[in-house]
Amino acid sequence: MSADDAGAWRVVVRVSALYAALAGIAIIFVRISGGDARWEWIAFAAGTLAIIALTALIALPRLRRLAAATAAANALARAEFGLHLDVAADELSPLAATLNAASANLDLLILTLRQERAQLEALLNASSDATVAVDTAGLVVYLNDAARHLFATAGDSSVERPFIEMVRDHDLNDLLVAAAQRAERSVRVVAYGQAQRWIQATAVPIEGAGAWAALAVFHDLTEVRRLEGVRRDFISNVSHELRTPLSGIRAAAETLQEGALEDVSVARDFLGHIQRETDRMTQLVEELLELSRIESGAAPLQFSQLDVGALVVDTAKRFAQQAERAGLTLAAVPPTESVEIIGDAERLERALGNLVANAIKFTPERGRITISARVVGQDVAIEVADTGVGIETEQQARVFERFYKADRGRGSGGTGLGLAIVKHIAQAHEGSVAVESRSGRGSTFSIRLPRR
Ligand code: ADP
């Protein structure tokens, strides 16, 4: 028997008992007035049974539905939604319809709330900014994926724990506690953690959000600051590189003005000096433009099929005279078999040219320079080896940086951009560049390119 049936039967028994009591009173009344006792009791029993049967027949279905409606209302009160009552054509049908509508509306409301929560969660987790919510006691009540990453916290282990335990930084904690306990809104930039990341923290108090007393967003400014530094260094380097030739030109022009113009041979010397400085500035500007073109992709690479052996031999020919003038031996060692790559001929000639020009510049007289190429697995390595001054170990990693000159006192007259250009050209070909060197013994620069 279902719970609805049991409830309905209880009501039937109670109503029947009431009828029986009334009938009993009627019999006692008849006995007092002097009737036949046996027939009275038979009539009483038959009447009672008839009443029970009639009551059950008429009331049972309605009582069963009423009990079901009560059970449904109780379920709603317990937040158990998704029920459905039959809506028969009787006096209980408006109640059943109302309960069904209430349940359907609550179902929809819960679904909407769940969807909004999922959307909010997705939004906060998609953000690269770390977001943390705390309660008035400073306990973490929410943190997004970026916060887990920034504060190196696994899973939800930080929820319900004090924020200070998670960040171990009093500046950040004070900010959030001030927002949660004193409703103070603030923004601060702090150097966070051992890696000293620059973090901009914005803490805001929240009203009417239950346990969420304050919310903080942490924006990592480290990369922005680094780029600002790079930009500052770049401007200062360019200004520095331009200042030297400009002051040379100015000094030569002043000397000419002050009378050197009258002496033809002296004037020729100064004009030669002006020309060399102008060439240096032109080279600087050209190299800067080339770097920016490769980096920005403004001038895309012009790919074609290239013979690596020919590239090696042609470069050696191009620099033969220059090497001879410097008293150096320049040799080309092309690969034994034919090796082809897909690359930008002009850019690769330029990269190899920069390496050979450096080798000539940094190798004393009677030295030897070798341009070679060989297959290494899936790649081809094009190498320029010299027997020159070499590069100190600690400087080797930095020579590919822009404007970096390993030994500024050496006065190579270069811009410090040549190797940066080589690196960018190699990378634009999905390759790389490396150096092996021993101070005083020479250097080997190697451009590695994928064979395709
Ligand atoms: P630069 O215009 O000064 O040559 P690069 O970017 O081409 O600029 O080179 C950066 C620095 O690396 C040079 O100033 C030099 O100190 C060092 N370097 C480059 N090539 C060689 C080499 N073959 N031998 C020794 N030092 C080198």
Side-chain angles (χ1 to χ4, degrees):
M1 189 172 16
S2 75
D4 297 349
D5 285 348
W9 275 110
R10 263 199 302 279
V11 176
V12 168
V13 169
R14 275 184 211 140
V15 170
S16 304
L18 187 67
Y19 280 134
L22 286 174
I25 292 168
I27 286 169
I28 290 164
F29 186 71
V30 170
R31 293 277 318 258
I32 291 167
S33 54
D36 181 340
R38 200 162 50 95
W39 283 108
E40 279 165 11
W41 279 111
I42 290 169
F44 165 67
T48 304
L49 283 175
I51 286 165
I52 290 170
L54 210 63
T55 306
L57 200 69
I58 298 168
L60 209 55
R62 284 174 174 74
L63 289 172
R64 197 182 290 138
R65 284 169 29 72
L66 191 63
T70 310
N74 285 335
L76 282 184
R78 290 193 305 271
E80 291 166 13
F81 311 122
L83 51 89
H84 184 79
L85 295 170
D86 285 340
V87 184
D90 63 15
E91 59 279 5
L92 287 177
S93 62
L95 177 63
T98 307
L99 285 171
N100 281 345
S103 171
N105 284 341
L106 286 169
D107 257 351
L108 195 66
L109 188 68
I110 296 290
L111 183 73
T112 312
L113 287 174
R114 278 204 190 115
Q115 281 172 348
E116 281 178 6
R117 195 190 158 89
Q119 286 162 1
L120 186 70
E121 191 103 347
L123 209 67
L124 287 169
N125 279 334
S127 163
S128 57
D129 288 346
T131 307
V132 175
V134 295
D135 64 9
T136 42
L139 297 182
V140 174
V141 283
Y142 173 80
L143 75 165
N144 69 352
D145 286 346
R148 282 186 193 97
H149 181 71
L150 177 66
F151 302 123
T153 314
D156 277 335
S157 59
S158 282
V159 174
E160 303 284 308
R161 281 177 51 205
F163 179 61
I164 182 70
E165 273 183 25
M166 187 173 85
V167 283
R168 292 191 210 94
D169 184 293
H170 285 285
D171 285 338
L172 292 181
N173 186 57
D174 290 352
L175 205 73
L176 208 51
V177 168
Q181 294 176 355
R182 300 191 294 280
E184 286 173 18
R185 189 191 177 98
S186 41
V187 182
R188 200 181 299 165
V189 175
V190 298
Y192 175 68
Q194 281 181 341
Q196 292 287 289
R197 301 198 71 79
W198 289 102
I199 303 289
Q200 183 186 50
T202 308
V204 286
I206 319 172
E207 264 180 49
W212 289 35
L215 187 78
V217 177
F218 304 93
H219 183 60
D220 195 339
L221 291 176
T222 317
E223 185 59 11
V224 174
R225 290 217 168 180
R226 191 188 68 79
L227 290 175
E228 273 172 12
V230 169
R231 189 179 57 86
R232 263 198 308 273
D233 286 353
F234 179 77
I235 292 170
S236 117
N237 279 321
V238 173
S239 320
H240 178 80
E241 290 298 328
L242 286 174
R243 205 168 44 214
T244 317
L246 278 175
S247 12
I249 291 170
R250 192 189 171 138
E254 276 171 7
T255 318
L256 285 171
Q257 258 175 353
E258 282 161 14
L261 205 53
E262 314 306 325
D263 185 332
V264 178
S265 75
V266 175
R268 203 168 277 139
D269 267 2
F270 279 104
L271 284 175
H273 185 70
I274 290 176
Q275 191 165 10
R276 278 193 301 281
E277 297 295 12
T278 314
D279 286 349
R280 207 170 138 183
M281 285 200 296
T282 311
Q283 188 196 348
L284 175 73
V285 172
E286 266 177 10
E287 289 186 342
L288 277 174
L289 277 174
E290 176 66 2
L291 253 185
S292 110
R293 271 198 297 260
I294 303 171
E295 272 185 311
S296 66
L301 301 192
Q302 304 293 322
F303 285 110
S304 64
Q305 197 141 344
L306 302 175
D307 182 70
V308 177
L311 184 68
V312 167
V313 173
D314 290 351
T315 310
K317 277 190 197 148
R318 202 151 44 98
F319 284 89
Q321 270 193 355
Q322 206 179 320
E324 200 185 313
R325 272 202 303 273
L328 302 167
T329 315
L330 178 61
V333 184
T336 42
E337 70 210 273
S338 161
V339 178
E340 295 206 319
I341 54 165
I342 305 286
D344 182 320
E346 208 183 308
R347 295 270 173 44
L348 288 176
E349 276 164 19
R350 174 165 202 155
L352 204 53
N354 282 4
L355 293 183
V356 179
N358 275 351
I360 295 175
K361 205 159 49 174
F362 295 107
T363 305
E365 226 174 319
R366 286 197 290 280
R368 184 182 173 81
I369 297 166
T370 312
I371 313 170
S372 62
R374 62 197 165 91
V375 173
V376 185
Q378 298 295 305
D379 299 341
V380 55
I382 308 172
E383 293 179 344
V384 177
D386 65 54
T387 55
V389 295
I391 306 164
E392 303 282 349
T393 317
E394 57 275 15
Q395 293 178 329
Q396 287 173 18
R398 298 203 59 195
V399 289
F400 298 103
E401 289 174 16
R402 282 172 219 212
F403 296 110
Y404 190 80
K405 296 178 196 175
D407 183 355
R408 290 183 183 267
R410 221 181 265 156
S412 67
T415 57
L417 292 173
L419 289 180
I421 291 177
V422 175
K423 185 178 90 177
H424 278 92
I425 290 177
Q427 286 175 347
H429 284 81
E430 290 174 19
S432 60
V433 64
V435 61
E436 265 178 42
S437 180
R438 278 180 66 193
S439 191
R441 291 290 186 86
S443 316
T444 301
F445 282 86
S446 156
I447 301 175
R448 219 167 148 140
L449 303 170
R451 281 171 79 196
R452 271 178 280 173

